[in-house]
Amino acid sequence: NYFVVFMYRGRRYEKACKTSQRPIADAIRRTVESQVASKTFKIENIQQQPQKMLAEYAEEYLNYSRTTKSPKTVELDTLSLRKLKAFTGDVPLDSITTQRMEQFKSTLAKEYSATTINMTLRSLSAAFAKAIVWKYLEENPLKKVEQIRIAEEDGPFLTREDIGKLRGVMPSGLYRDFIETALY
């Protein structure tokens, strides 16, 4: 049997077509689309799917994470989801928006380094990507959230003493020329 899946007022709905014939299901889909577009659609006719709450999804995702990821990654996933839940509370998963995630990032910036924030955002992005695969979300709220730029630091420099030691052990010939060029 076919289902029509659509978004209405920011929520995801499924309407059973009660048919196994595609042309009939397409006709029902077109009807729903036109009713939604013309604002004559009556949501009362659709039995709403129960919303997946953040805490419930976090537990489900962490169970998946424990079976497929390294212990360090599981620890990062756990901390990231805990921070998000502390920020948003236990809200429906589909109510977490890009704007809310930007606010979350700003809040983290008051307490954590840019590297920690970026790791948290990447971890949560992976969790939301899995929610899309599992059909709990239509779009990843972190898709358009930019990570914090981290200034590149200059690498360590050799002291004059280090250069002297290096020259003392360098082979002669072509390799020496390459190393001298690199030193300059």
Side-chain angles (χ1 to χ4, degrees), residues 5-115:
V5 179
F6 60 99
M7 296 292 289
Y8 181 71
R9 293 184 180 166
R11 300 235 182 227
R12 181 177 185 269
Y13 296 93
E14 288 186 12
K15 175 179 173 49
C17 295
K18 298 180 182 172
T19 182
S20 60
Q21 297 178 4
R22 182 158 186 150
I24 295 171
D26 283 339
I28 293 169
R29 177 187 50 81
R30 285 191 297 274
T31 302
V32 169
E33 285 175 349
S34 72
Q35 288 175 348
V36 168
S38 66
K39 298 184 180 177
T40 59
F41 182 73
K42 301 278 191 242
I43 200 64
E44 297 81 34
N45 298 340
I46 302 291
Q47 188 176 22
Q48 187 177 352
Q49 280 190 305
Q51 297 294 311
K52 183 66 78 170
M53 300 301 283
L54 178 59
E56 180 185 359
Y57 176 71
E59 193 56 42
E60 187 176 341
Y61 181 74
L62 290 173
N63 286 336
Y64 157 79
S65 186
R66 284 182 201 104
T67 60
T68 59
K69 298 180 180 181
S70 73
K72 286 285 187 189
T73 306
V74 171
E75 182 180 345
L76 176 61
D77 289 345
T78 303
L79 291 172
S80 299
L81 286 164
R82 188 178 302 147
K83 286 175 192 171
L84 179 63
K85 197 168 91 176
F87 177 75
T88 63
D90 191 19
V91 297
L93 196 59
D94 63 357
S95 72
I96 300 172
T97 62
T98 300
Q99 180 183 12
R100 193 73 173 134
M101 294 309 296
E102 289 284 3
Q103 292 168 347
F104 176 62
K105 180 174 84 170
S106 295
T107 301
L108 290 177
K110 296 172 187 172
E111 227 178 303
Y112 299 99
S113 71
T115 303

Side-chain angles (χ1 to χ4, degrees), residues 112-127:
Y112 299 99
S113 71
T115 303
T116 301
I117 295 168
N118 289 342
M119 288 173 47
T120 300
L121 294 177
R122 281 192 299 270
S123 173
L124 291 172
S125 184

